[in-house]
Amino acid sequence: MLHGYKVKAQSDAGSKPRYLSAPLIKSIYTADPSAHVFNGKIYIYPSHDIDAGIPENDNGDHFAMRDYHILSMNKIDGPVTDHGIALDIKNIPWAGRQLWAPDAAYKNGIYYLYFPVKDKHDVFRIGVAMSKNPAGPFKAEPHPIPGSFSIDPAVFTDTDGSTYMYFGGIWGGQLQRWATGKYDANGSKTDLMHDDEPALSCKVVKLKNNMLEFNGKVRDVIIVDSLGKPLKTNDHNRRFFEGSWMHKYHGKYYFTYSTGDTHFLAYAIGNNPWGPFVYKGIFMKPVQGWTTHHSIIEFKGKWYIFYHDTELSGKTHLRNVKVTTLQHNADGSIKLIDPFI
Ligand code: FUB
């Protein structure tokens, strides 16, 4: 059976789910929250979901977002500010359609917003926009980042000041169409025909100091099992699908991601930002809705996960962002989170 974007993960809490957390904002639909602490405050860079009237399909065409709104909060559980439109698709010269999950970074007085959007040939690329204010407005560069492709940029600055971008997503995110290094417009919609081969990998690349270009080769983020063997395509409970994130904890690098059609958030640990990363388990059970996408931050000595579900709408493409605590156990594992209580 082909599992497409139209298939929903079910809550195991029955017909009246009790959610672990409440939506952070109800006035607009938001998803894919990339959170960062800038100037002692939490800024959230989410997708802005809208109902564009496009029927659901396996390409994710119904995720037809057109702009970004940035949210901020002074404290967890405090009021959330919506800073209005930070970037509109009409002001991205090369963009075609579908502004998907963004991320942000800061360097030398400038904030950078990284965003995936389909170009005018319907190929996902990653763009960058700049602002002096973490909440925008952002001005987009006239071209996508050279050499970029697919979706879901997650930007991580290590303690030595080096910045890396993790990116990629299979199925609607088109990663499988880049398997040869060049885009195959007639390529498959999924990875399902390569069951016994090593799974497609998320990508990682260092950014140049200007934060606008890749510095060197794009590499595969290899996830291995406890025996050191790369995960395979048919390992749907564990293989990478989309929505990656990186955080460092006690000197170890935690690569976290969504398993897509099995709806888990999983983690793998490595000794450096490039990997390989050893698969360790899942740390969040499926939320209500098909997609699952997260970010992890440390704020005032505590760790938090930002995620989304479909509590407000009950519709796959109209999501709402949430936050809850994340706990590292004494042995370095992450405590499993159930998004229902
Ligand atoms: O929001 C559109 C896409 O859905 C994101 O890019 C994926 O991570 C998934 O959440």
Side-chain angles (χ1 to χ4, degrees):
M1 179 183 154
L2 188 73
H3 295 274
Y5 269 100
K6 62 185 87 149
V7 181
K8 279 187 182 181
Q10 296 299 321
S11 142
D12 54 10
S15 55
K16 280 190 185 165
R18 292 177 63 215
Y19 302 94
L20 177 64
S21 311
L24 287 179
I25 182 164
K26 295 185 177 175
S27 49
I28 57 171
Y29 292 112
T30 52
D32 310 323
S34 292
H36 290 274
V37 180
F38 293 132
N39 309 321
K41 205 166 155 171
I42 300 168
Y43 287 87
I44 308 162
Y45 298 82
S47 300
H48 174 200
D49 283 353
I50 51 165
D51 194 350
I54 298 172
E56 292 187 21
N57 63 24
D58 292 343
N59 278 337
D61 284 342
H62 47 300
F63 295 107
M65 298 82 110
R66 298 190 188 120
D67 61 29
Y68 293 117
H69 284 227
I70 290 155
L71 312 177
S72 70
M73 50 211 288
N74 288 318
K75 55 177 188 168
I76 298 286
D77 295 333
V80 177
T81 304
D82 172 358
H83 294 270
I85 296 178
L87 180 64
D88 193 305
I89 197 165
K90 67 175 192 260
N91 296 323
I92 305 170
W94 54 274
R97 61 183 182 131
Q98 296 182 287
L99 275 178
W100 282 15
D103 193 18
Y106 169 80
K107 193 162 216 166
N108 297 336
I110 308 277
Y111 295 88
Y112 297 86
L113 179 71
Y114 298 92
F115 56 89
V117 66
K118 282 181 180 162
D119 65 16
K120 299 200 190 290
H121 306 286
D122 235 21
V123 179
F124 268 117
R125 307 274 179 185
I126 296 169
V128 55
M130 289 184 272
S131 176
K132 289 203 165 149
N133 184 329
F138 284 85
K139 183 165 170 38
E141 289 290 281
H143 304 288
I145 298 176
S148 70
F149 54 94
S150 197
I151 60 166
D152 290 0
V155 179
F156 165 73
T157 299
D158 205 349
T159 32
D160 69 356
S162 306
T163 302
Y164 302 81
M165 180 187 287
Y166 298 82
F167 65 93
I170 61 176
W171 299 19
Q174 301 180 337
L175 195 58
Q176 68 282 356
R177 295 190 170 177
W178 290 91
T180 63
K182 282 180 98 179
Y183 184 71
D184 176 4
N186 300 313
S188 169
K189 285 185 173 173
T190 72
D191 62 335
L192 295 177
M193 69 295 304
H194 299 291
D195 266 5
D196 209 32
E197 295 176 11
L200 287 163
S201 299
C202 181
K203 307 295 172 195
V204 57
V205 64
K206 214 170 189 173
L207 295 185
K208 286 190 179 169
N209 272 338
N210 66 12
M211 301 291 272
L212 303 175
E213 293 169 280
F214 291 170
N215 186 359
K217 260 184 73 175
V218 172
R219 301 195 207 173
D220 286 332
V221 176
I222 305 292
I223 305 170
V224 297
D225 63 17
S226 56
L227 301 173
K229 293 210 172 107
L231 301 186
K232 289 197 174 163
T233 302
N234 58 9
D235 196 345
H236 290 218
N237 281 335
R238 300 194 296 176
R239 61 98 168 84
F240 166 79
F241 190 100
E242 65 185 5
S244 65
W245 192 256
M246 170 59 62
H247 77 276
K248 195 174 180 181
Y249 179 75
H250 287 184
K252 296 284 185 190
Y253 294 80
Y254 285 66
F255 178 72
T256 49
Y257 58 97
S258 163
T259 63
D261 54 333
T262 47
H263 316 287
F264 296 123
L265 289 179
Y267 71 110
I269 300 180
N271 293 319
N272 64 70
W274 303 106
F277 299 92
V278 182
Y279 177 86
K280 293 292 179 184
I282 65 166
F283 67 99
M284 192 177 228
K285 292 184 181 177
V287 296
Q288 177 180 297
W290 199 97
T291 64
T292 179
H293 190 120
H294 77 295
S295 64
I296 294 169
I297 58 163
E298 185 179 16
F299 183 66
K300 300 196 171 159
K302 286 190 175 164
W303 289 86
Y304 298 92
I305 174 172
F306 289 76
Y307 64 105
H308 69 226
D309 65 17
T310 59
E311 176 178 345
L312 289 179
S313 75
K315 293 185 179 159
T316 313
H317 64 295
L318 298 177
R319 300 160 291 180
N320 48 258
V321 299
K322 298 186 164 186
V323 63
T324 192
T325 49
L326 179 121
Q327 195 179 314
H328 298 90
N329 297 313
D331 64 359
S333 60
I334 303 179
K335 188 176 171 203
L336 180 62
I337 301 164
D338 188 338
F340 300 99
I341 46 176

